Amino acid sequence: MRWAISDTPWVNRLLRGRWLQWGITVLTLAVFVVVILTGLLGTPAGNHNFGIIYVWLVWWALLKLVLVPLLGRFWCSVCPIPAPGDWLQRRSILIARPGGKLYTCATRLFRKAARGRPRPWPRFLRNIWAQNFGFLAVALFSALILTSPLVTALTLILFIVVSLAVSLLFERKSFCRYLCPIGGFVGVYGQVAPLAVRVKDPAVCATHTQKSCYVGSDAGYGCPYFNLPARLETNTLCSMCGECLRTCNRDNVAFYIQMPGTDLLNTRGRRLDEAFNGLMMLAAAFVYSVVLIGPDGWLKATARAVGAPSWFAYAAVLLLFSAVLTPGLFWLCVRFGQLLGGDGEPAPGKTAGRGSKHATLFAGYAIALVPLGLAIWIAFTLSFTLTNVSYAWPALSDPFGWGWDLFGTANMAWTPYLTGMISYLQIPVLLVGLATAVALTLRTARQHGQRPAAALPVSAFCTLAVVALLTLYMA
Amino acid sequence: MTRITQYASRTTQWLAGGVTLALVFVALLAPLPALNAAPQERQLTINASRFAFEPGTVRVNRGDTVVINLESSDVVHGLYIDGYEIRTQAEPGQPGRLSFVADRDGAFHFRCAIPCGNLHPFMIGKLVVGPNLTWLRAVAASLLVAAGALVAFWRA
């Protein structure tokens, strides 16, 4: 059951036009520039610095509480980080180049004479493993990044430089698709969102040899994320930029409103890199909850003392917990599930070996971690957003902490909002996440030909995660 | 699957979902008999230094009159208790004092209310007012939800 909102004429005009997306991108880019300037030149006190407050409090809360659950990966289409590289590639800021032509150094430097195509993105990196490890790398320094305006600015500068370099060498948004640590989890959690871009009738695409949605046309560019819309089944790799809506000359692409979580219903053919992303994000939420929200001051100091011997111990524990223990425990649950409910059947047309069968089930069951992980991240985000968001008003008037009062809000006092309500907001979110996760474990068992009992260990894993988080916050 | 088994399965789902929802509401909201220990006055001294409170976790019983003496050993620190929405502040040599009746059970973060450095937003402690029924109710609701989802979707 889905409703094509882009079939409404005024919505269609809005989505086909470039002004909306361009306007939001310019706005976010302007904020991004202020964030970098305030990081480099402003006060080092994080709670008085525009950069820290508007990136790690306002933007993060918007991303986790609103954008990802409702709009999926839409943020990626208005993110300021790839914008300069994108405009350089297109040699245009707003209007589409004829034929959707892109320009990169790679187009000249690495052109393969025989095939006449630019150098492709390395095959071994065509997954989100780099994004996973990138996120872990950022997580190692997060206590410093989150609290130091200068480090925040330098991190964002690093992101934009890498993004620019990648866009000069490789076509389309290779940085966003394959490298951005934020894009990885935004894509995975974006599967919960009710907004989706899909083709109306796959049969139309099958007979359309031109594939203007992929190669581009005078109306727009080929999919920046290397997607063929006809093959899109989830939001994971779609930023909803609308290029395919513009370039499809058969009017066969639409923006749909669907039931939230529809993308999660197919648990077959799932990928290990995305499964690992779900596990790593789950582990990271626990680490942040213990380190940042917990009462142990020495732990916070250790996490921030980058380079000190104690920090290396902290980094080792974080990596061990995120990359080994949590995935290991999950793997044990899946294996135990196989003992309880059988090995299941290989995918149609495949004769899977044992190792491949384990991997298939592991990736399939990890789908349950998408609603669960998102719920846990929402609970984590709620724990500090309502208490700290009032720092946003003074930072707006005095972004550098230099004593300005641009909008008359510089002297507004810190006022925690609804602090008595936080638990009552967290509990229902976690319960909905848990119910969805358990339902998905049973669906996974069924779709992989296992008996329902196979879902019990992973369901227990999900329940344990929620009880553990409740204990961290409420006991 | 025949139409009858499909219908039965769907009915089981709705039934299990409805019963689970009802039980979750009961677990979260049902009034429980008070099991409080006799109220007493609790004198607590909390030391604040960048960026931690010592002790980090404080436990009292519902109905206790809590008197917190906040001492600071480095710079000016504040103490704000979530949920109770009360605050005090202290600087070295000048302790702050806070007195209130712990009339809501559960766990409440207390946090520094005066900017004191980079980790200030994460300078957090925890006040646990027992019996901590909020946590127990939430855990019970989680177990019910998991069990209910298993029943509802076992044969779906």
Side-chain angles (χ1 to χ4, degrees):
Chain A
M1 193 174 65
R2 57 185 192 176
W3 169 47
I5 50 166
S6 56
D7 283 353
T8 308
W10 69 267
V11 177
N12 192 290
R13 275 196 301 277
L14 199 67
L15 293 171
R16 279 180 188 274
R18 296 181 175 276
W19 284 101
L20 178 68
Q21 191 185 335
W22 181 83
I24 301 174
T25 308
V26 167
L27 185 69
T28 60
L29 188 60
V31 174
F32 188 78
V33 170
V34 177
V35 165
I36 287 178
L37 288 176
T38 54
L40 295 176
L41 307 171
T43 172
N47 49 298
H48 289 309
N49 187 291
F50 182 92
I52 290 287
I53 298 298
Y54 278 84
V55 173
W56 300 124
L57 192 61
V58 176
W59 168 75
W60 184 260
L62 270 177
L63 189 73
K64 284 291 184 189
L65 303 180
V66 181
L67 293 175
V68 172
L70 296 180
L71 304 179
R73 205 170 174 166
F74 171 75
W75 164 257
C76 294
S77 72
V78 294
C79 174
I81 290 172
D86 215 22
W87 293 338
L88 273 177
Q89 265 194 5
R90 295 175 176 185
R91 293 189 188 173
S92 167
I93 287 182
L94 181 61
I95 302 162
R97 305 285 298 185
K101 187 167 170 52
L102 296 173
Y103 299 86
T104 66
C105 297
T107 314
R108 277 192 197 153
L109 294 178
F110 304 119
R111 185 184 293 277
K112 289 184 178 176
R115 295 183 187 171
R117 288 202 302 239
R119 187 181 181 83
W121 184 253
R123 185 171 290 277
F124 76 100
L125 284 175
R126 289 183 201 171
N127 46 55
I128 67 166
W129 284 111
Q131 291 172 307
N132 292 344
F133 293 121
F135 182 85
L136 277 183
V138 173
L140 288 178
F141 303 96
S142 56
L144 185 60
I145 297 172
L146 294 178
T147 55
S148 165
L150 179 62
V151 179
T152 287
L154 293 176
T155 306
L156 294 178
I157 289 171
L158 177 71
F159 274 36
I160 205 164
V161 167
V162 174
S163 165
L164 199 58
V166 169
S167 67
L168 288 176
L169 294 175
F170 300 96
E171 277 192 354
R172 312 193 189 198
K173 292 191 175 181
S174 298
F175 172 81
C176 308
R177 163 89 192 244
Y178 298 116
L179 290 180
C180 176
I182 306 295
F185 75 79
V186 168
V188 169
Y189 286 153
Q191 294 175 91
V192 168
L195 187 67
V197 174
R198 301 285 185 272
V199 297
K200 294 176 183 173
D201 180 3
V204 173
C205 297
T207 59
H208 186 218
T209 53
Q210 201 180 344
K211 295 288 182 278
S212 50
C213 55
Y214 188 81
V215 298
S217 71
D218 288 348
Y221 300 94
C223 175
Y225 283 72
F226 303 93
N227 291 315
L228 262 177
R231 290 190 192 160
L232 267 183
E233 290 181 351
T234 70
N235 286 338
T236 315
L237 300 174
C238 173
S239 73
M240 301 178 196
C241 62
E243 287 299 344
C244 52
L245 184 78
R246 297 176 191 117
T247 52
C248 179
N249 52 17
R250 305 225 174 153
D251 189 26
N252 195 38
V253 175
F255 277 65
Y256 287 100
I257 299 285
Q258 58 185 11
M259 283 292 288
T262 301
D263 289 3
L264 304 171
L265 294 179
N266 179 17
T267 66
R268 276 195 171 274
R270 293 292 177 164
R271 298 164 53 111
L272 269 182
D273 52 350
E274 290 171 15
F276 188 85
N277 186 281
L279 285 157
M280 185 196 70
M281 290 300 297
L282 186 71
F286 275 91
V287 171
Y288 287 159
S289 296
V290 170
V291 175
L292 298 176
I293 310 296
D296 299 308
W298 64 271
L299 208 48
K300 301 176 211 292
T302 302
R304 199 172 189 277
V306 174
S310 57
W311 178 81
F312 283 102
Y314 161 78
V317 170
L318 189 150
L319 290 177
L320 195 70
F321 183 68
S322 305
V324 181
L325 289 181
T326 306
L329 182 60
F330 190 78
W331 181 81
L332 282 176
C333 289
V334 175
R335 291 289 289 128
F336 187 40
Q338 284 179 277
L339 294 178
L340 292 176
D343 280 346
E345 303 151 357
K350 288 193 176 177
T351 49
R354 276 199 86 73
S356 156
K357 195 181 294 175
H358 299 329
T360 305
L361 284 171
F362 183 89
Y365 277 109
I367 281 300
L369 303 178
V370 174
L372 183 80
L374 183 61
I376 285 176
W377 272 98
I378 288 175
F380 168 70
T381 305
L382 283 170
S383 72
F384 62 84
T385 301
L386 292 171
T387 46
N388 290 315
V389 76
S390 63
Y391 284 125
W393 313 128
L396 196 62
S397 277
D398 186 14
F400 290 87
W402 289 345
W404 296 357
D405 193 3
L406 297 175
F407 305 105
T409 57
N411 295 314
M412 283 180 75
W414 172 68
T415 311
Y417 300 126
L418 302 171
T419 55
M421 292 296 297
I422 293 173
S423 300
Y424 301 104
L425 296 173
Q426 289 172 322
I427 291 170
V429 169
L430 289 171
L431 294 183
V432 170
L434 178 60
T436 316
V438 172
L440 283 171
T441 60
L442 284 162
R443 189 176 181 88
T444 307
R446 199 166 48 253
Q447 289 188 343
H448 287 79
Q450 293 180 298
R451 291 187 295 279
L456 289 175
V458 178
S459 296
F461 177 94
C462 297
T463 311
L464 181 70
V466 168
V467 171
L469 197 84
L470 287 169
T471 305
L472 273 177
Y473 284 131
M474 295 178 198
Chain B
M1 209 188 288
T2 65
R3 275 189 174 184
I4 294 172
T5 50
Q6 266 182 350
Y7 175 76
S9 168
R10 190 52 58 92
T11 308
T12 310
Q13 263 186 8
W14 280 107
L15 194 65
V19 170
T20 304
L21 203 60
L23 289 174
V24 166
F25 272 110
V26 169
L28 290 176
L29 303 172
L32 291 173
L35 298 168
N36 292 354
Q40 49 183 295
E41 184 175 296
R42 306 290 296 269
Q43 292 276 350
L44 303 166
T45 298
I46 296 178
N47 185 272
S49 61
R50 293 196 297 182
F51 298 96
F53 293 103
E54 183 57 39
T57 303
V58 170
R59 295 180 187 275
V60 300
N61 289 319
R62 185 171 180 157
D64 286 354
T65 300
V66 183
V67 180
I68 292 177
N69 295 299
L70 180 69
E71 294 176 350
S72 170
S73 53
D74 44 27
V75 296
V76 181
H77 289 288
L79 187 147
Y80 174 91
I81 304 179
D82 289 0
Y84 284 90
E85 296 173 3
I86 48 177
R87 66 175 92 192
T88 186
Q89 69 179 68
E91 55 189 278
Q94 284 195 318
R97 192 167 185 277
L98 201 58
S99 177
F100 64 100
V101 177
D103 54 2
R104 299 178 61 187
D105 66 84
F108 304 90
H109 284 129
F110 55 85
R111 55 188 81 237
C112 185
I114 309 282
C116 58
N118 283 320
L119 277 167
H120 157 73
F122 302 112
M123 185 172 165
I124 294 170
K126 199 190 282 183
L127 167 73
V128 182
V129 182
N132 190 352
L133 293 180
T134 312
W135 171 65
L136 288 172
R137 286 174 189 273
V139 169
S142 304
L143 298 176
L144 284 168
V145 159
L150 281 172
V151 172
F153 295 99
W154 191 264
R155 293 197 181 279

